[in-house]
Amino acid sequence: MQNYKRVQADYSRYYRQVTANLQRDNAGNILGGQEAFLPPESQRQLRAQRERVRDLEGKIRKEFDYALRTDPRNYSAAYGHAQLRFLGGEDRLEEAVEWLVKTVRIHPGHIDALNDLGAAYIRLGKYRDAARVLRDATNREERADLHYNLGLALFFLNDQPGARMHFSRALNKGSPGVRTGEVYYLSLIHI
């Protein structure tokens, strides 16, 4: 999986570099058909790197599928499938959610899967589902990232007291994964 992450990061970096001068919409997406105006060598390299990413992803999927066929209760393989989908970007988010739900069915106490599921629900605008999952996670383990994500879900549900409480807990716990400035801003200004 580490090799896949590296190859995908290399592809993303190269893609950003090669397409830096192309026109984009407000969301940052390249406007249709512009990739055709890239130099032929850049187009060839992009295709080759995309193919390499797809090949590696296919191999990893087969390994996870084999692990799950061998042991249907293998929550690590189910979670691996979810992580693979997360790495695929926003258009793979629904697939990631399906695999995270499977992971949690197999291993209800998988804190990282619960956290990722809650974060995915937030990104999909399913704030009630996110709050439910993240409450379960924070009841199982006290971690800054869990409180931060629960605070976000509650913030979007307009539960200001609950959001403030969980943002404060995230700040008090501290963690490299929690953006302290953002938590501070959300907890003091918006709530």
Side-chain angles (χ1 to χ4, degrees), residues 5-184:
K5 289 178 183 179
R6 184 184 49 75
V7 168
Q8 188 177 47
D10 289 345
Y11 166 73
S12 296
R13 193 173 19 261
Y14 182 72
Y15 185 83
R16 281 191 307 273
Q17 177 187 2
V18 167
T19 62
N21 295 325
L22 298 180
Q23 292 180 346
R24 298 176 186 274
D25 63 16
N26 291 337
N29 301 312
I30 295 172
L31 295 177
Q34 287 194 59
E35 284 185 33
F37 296 110
L38 292 172
E41 180 58 21
S42 296
Q43 289 182 37
R44 187 194 65 70
Q45 285 186 3
L46 282 173
R47 279 192 303 273
Q49 286 188 359
R50 261 193 297 259
E51 193 60 37
R52 186 169 179 217
V53 169
R54 270 186 285 226
D55 286 348
L56 274 173
E57 181 178 334
K59 289 175 185 173
I60 293 168
R61 270 191 199 186
K62 285 179 183 175
E63 289 175 15
F64 290 145
D65 288 341
Y66 176 76
L68 284 166
R69 275 194 312 275
T70 304
D71 177 9
R73 306 277 312 150
N74 186 331
Y75 62 86
S76 294
Y79 187 62
H81 264 299
Q83 294 302 298
L84 195 59
R85 281 12 179 244
F86 265 128
L87 291 170
E90 288 297 314
D91 57 333
R92 308 281 300 281
L93 198 52
E94 291 284 352
E95 290 177 61
V97 166
E98 290 173 24
W99 282 103
L100 288 166
V101 167
K102 289 177 186 177
T103 303
V104 172
R105 273 193 204 125
I106 296 168
H107 182 5
H110 194 298
I111 296 300
D112 290 329
L114 289 167
N115 188 39
D116 291 349
L117 183 57
Y121 281 146
I122 290 170
R123 288 166 58 187
L124 292 169
K126 297 178 178 182
Y127 306 121
R128 289 197 194 296
D129 291 333
R132 176 184 45 79
V133 167
L134 292 163
R135 275 193 186 98
D136 180 29
T138 58
N139 287 336
R140 293 170 184 271
E141 190 172 321
E142 287 284 318
R143 280 185 7 196
D145 56 341
L146 297 172
H147 285 290
Y148 173 79
N149 285 335
L150 180 52
L152 276 179
L154 296 174
F155 175 80
F156 288 119
L157 287 169
N158 292 316
D159 177 356
Q160 281 75 13
R164 183 187 304 265
M165 178 183 72
H166 288 284
F167 285 142
S168 294
R169 287 184 180 173
L171 279 173
N172 291 336
K173 296 253 172 247
S175 168
V178 174
R179 297 174 290 276
T180 304
E182 183 179 332
V183 173
Y184 182 78

